[in-house]
Amino acid sequence: MLKTLIWRPLQRLVDFVSGSAVGGLVLMGSAALAMAVANSPWAPAYFAALHAMVGPLSALHWINDGLMAVFFLLVGLEIKREFIDGELASNPLRVLPGLAALGGMIVPAAIYLLVNRSNAESIRGWAIPSATDIAFALGVAALLGSRVPASLKAFLAALAIIDDLGAVVIIAVFYTPGLSTIYLGLAVLAVVFMALMNRLGVARLWPYLLVGAVLWVLVLKSGVHATLAGVATALCIPLADRQGRLPSDDDCTHSPLLRLEHALHRLVPITVLPLFGFANAGISFAGVGLAQWLAPTTLGVGLGLLVGKLVGVFGAAWLAIRLGWARMPRAASRMQLFGTALLCGIGFTMSLFIGMLAFPDHPDYQDEVKLGILAGSLLAGLAGWIVLRTAPASRETEADG
């Protein structure tokens, strides 16, 4: 009786809130709340709470290094599933989103570097506009319903997965300030141990999560950003069952990876991401004037997201289709592809995360990064929504109807 009256309705509510559309709105609401608090009489308490020490780390570090490792665990699970048994399971499926993601990383970075070429310090933020926020982008696409063909939603999801993989590589290579070879060696041993468990057919989740927690501590001590422990753990968790069979659409209960992914899909959008947004989006507009809005960092990030993502994603996709390397997503028009490329300019979560890594000790740059992300993401999302809302359907869609 208790399960019927309380648990099942609560479970449905969690499933609804963690959906891509509503989850994106929750994240947007947490960011808006952070900005409201940062510009209210409670601002001193807000900033003091973020920098209060909780054990060995500040509250902000626990969120950015600890909770975000759970987000990266989910990202790693999605990457592995898609490459083994999903939208990226074969080379033909990888061509269009892969080239579009590559263009969407290179062009925004080039725009940022061009705008900031005369400032040696702000150049460190070149990767900030290179990342797409999968929750926001898919959330806007979901809100548009059937106006966005299913093939384009799959293309956007695949592109965002590859984009996340690129962001993980960028963080590991370019935003690792110093290394401790001892802790890094121990971290490698932990990964090898989990890979061995996978090889031996260990299907229970708790051994992987236990070793993953140890790995997180080792990676934190090593100098590599601790969130990468989440990705490494995810890549070691088996997708297949004990007999080596990949999960079917009807039954995924025997897949350790899918069980954990489904659980995190419920948890992360309503806990980790809103907390991250609330902790990092708070910017005080006191003293923010035209100089801050026109600062090279702000312009580089904003233009990188709004213009760079559009040019990079749409340009690379159009070129690949034109050269015959890939096919246009089924039942999608060129204008709908253009609108989807605009949505890729929503770079909230990953862009904020990379921004904090690029300028850990420069609050002025951090504020300019936030201004650029907010402006670029908002304009890109709004423009993408308008284009997809008004774009004519492809002839293929009309013929099917």
Side-chain angles (χ1 to χ4, degrees), residues 6 55 69 77 98 120-121 130 155 170 176 198 210 266 290 328 347 391:
I6 299 177
L77 294 172
E121 286 188 341
S130 296
F155 164 76
I170 287 171
T176 299
N198 184 320
L210 180 61
R266 290 180 172 181
L290 191 61
M328 174 74 76

Side-chain angles (χ1 to χ4, degrees), residues 284-319:
S284 173
F285 290 102
V288 173
L290 191 61
Q292 284 71 36
W293 284 106
L294 296 180
T297 309
T298 307
L299 289 176
V301 172
L303 291 175
L305 289 172
L306 179 62
V307 179
K309 276 290 187 181
L310 172 63
V311 173
V313 171
F314 183 75
W318 177 85
L319 187 61

Side-chain angles (χ1 to χ4, degrees), residues 100 104 129-133 137 155-156 159-160 163 304-306 309-310 313-314 337-347 380-381 384:
S130 296
T132 294
D133 191 297
F155 164 76
L156 179 59
L159 184 152
D163 193 271
L305 289 172
L306 179 62
K309 276 290 187 181
L310 172 63
V313 171
F314 183 75
L337 181 62
F338 184 87
T340 303
L342 276 167
L343 292 186
C344 293
I346 305 174

Side-chain angles (χ1 to χ4, degrees), residues 237-260:
I237 295 174
L239 176 63
D241 61 18
R242 290 176 182 272
Q243 286 73 40
R245 295 171 301 191
L246 291 174
S248 65
D249 294 334
D250 299 326
D251 182 20
C252 61
T253 57
H254 299 294
S255 167
L257 186 148
L258 287 184
R259 290 203 312 274
L260 181 58

Side-chain angles (χ1 to χ4, degrees), residues 12-349:
R12 292 193 190 100
L13 177 62
V14 170
D15 289 342
F16 172 74
V17 173
S18 59
S20 57
V22 181
L25 293 176
V26 171
L27 180 56
M28 188 184 301
S30 68
L33 180 61
M35 285 186 284
V37 172
N39 292 276
S40 74
W42 294 287
Y46 166 78
F47 290 110
L50 289 177
H51 293 94
M53 297 302 294
V54 182
L57 301 173
S58 68
L60 184 61
H61 276 126
W62 277 116
I63 293 170
N64 289 350
D65 292 3
L67 286 181
M68 284 300 284
V70 180
F71 168 72
F72 275 81
L73 174 62
L74 176 58
V75 168
L77 294 172
E78 291 176 336
I79 289 172
K80 181 172 181 176
R81 174 177 52 78
E82 291 293 346
F83 271 87
I84 293 177
D85 192 37
E87 295 292 335
L88 301 169
S90 66
N91 287 329
L93 292 173
R94 297 168 187 162
V95 172
L96 187 62
L99 290 175
L102 184 62
M105 287 186 277
I106 292 174
V107 178
I111 289 177
Y112 183 93
L113 288 171
L114 181 64
V115 174
N116 289 268
R117 63 189 182 278
S118 60
N119 190 328
E121 286 188 341
S122 64
I123 275 181
R124 271 188 57 80
W126 62 269
I128 296 169
S130 296
T132 294
D133 191 297
I134 188 170
F136 267 131
L138 288 176
V140 175
L143 288 172
L144 288 161
S146 60
R147 292 182 180 274
V148 182
S151 62
L152 267 186
K153 291 176 183 175
F155 164 76
L156 179 59
L159 184 152
I161 290 293
I162 297 173
D163 193 271
D164 281 346
L165 179 59
V168 168
V169 172
I170 287 171
I171 291 168
V173 174
F174 296 101
Y175 294 105
T176 299
L179 293 176
S180 167
T181 53
I182 295 176
Y183 283 109
L184 188 60
L186 292 173
V188 170
L189 287 177
V191 174
V192 171
F193 184 73
M194 285 191 290
L196 183 61
M197 287 196 297
N198 184 320
R199 198 76 169 163
L200 293 174
V202 177
R204 292 182 179 274
L205 280 171
W206 70 263
Y208 294 98
L209 298 180
L210 180 61
V211 179
V214 174
L215 175 64
W216 179 84
V217 175
L218 295 173
V219 173
L220 180 68
K221 296 282 190 180
S222 73
V224 179
H225 201 271
T227 51
L228 298 181
V231 178
T233 302
L235 297 181
C236 294
I237 295 174
L239 176 63
D241 61 18
R242 290 176 182 272
Q243 286 73 40
R245 295 171 301 191
L246 291 174
S248 65
D249 294 334
D250 299 326
D251 182 20
C252 61
T253 57
H254 299 294
S255 167
L257 186 148
L258 287 184
R259 290 203 312 274
L260 181 58
E261 184 183 349
H262 289 174
L264 292 179
H265 263 302
R266 290 180 172 181
L267 175 70
V268 170
I270 60 175
T271 55
V272 175
L273 291 183
L275 273 172
F276 174 80
F278 183 73
N280 289 278
I283 176 173
S284 173
F285 290 102
V288 173
L290 191 61
Q292 284 71 36
W293 284 106
L294 296 180
T297 309
T298 307
L299 289 176
V301 172
L303 291 175
L305 289 172
L306 179 62
V307 179
K309 276 290 187 181
L310 172 63
V311 173
V313 171
F314 183 75
W318 177 85
L319 187 61
I321 295 168
R322 184 81 172 178
L323 294 175
W325 297 348
R327 295 181 60 187
M328 174 74 76
R330 186 179 181 277
S333 67
R334 188 175 299 176
M335 187 56 69
Q336 287 173 324
L337 181 62
F338 184 87
T340 303
L342 276 167
L343 292 186
C344 293
I346 305 174
F348 187 78
T349 307

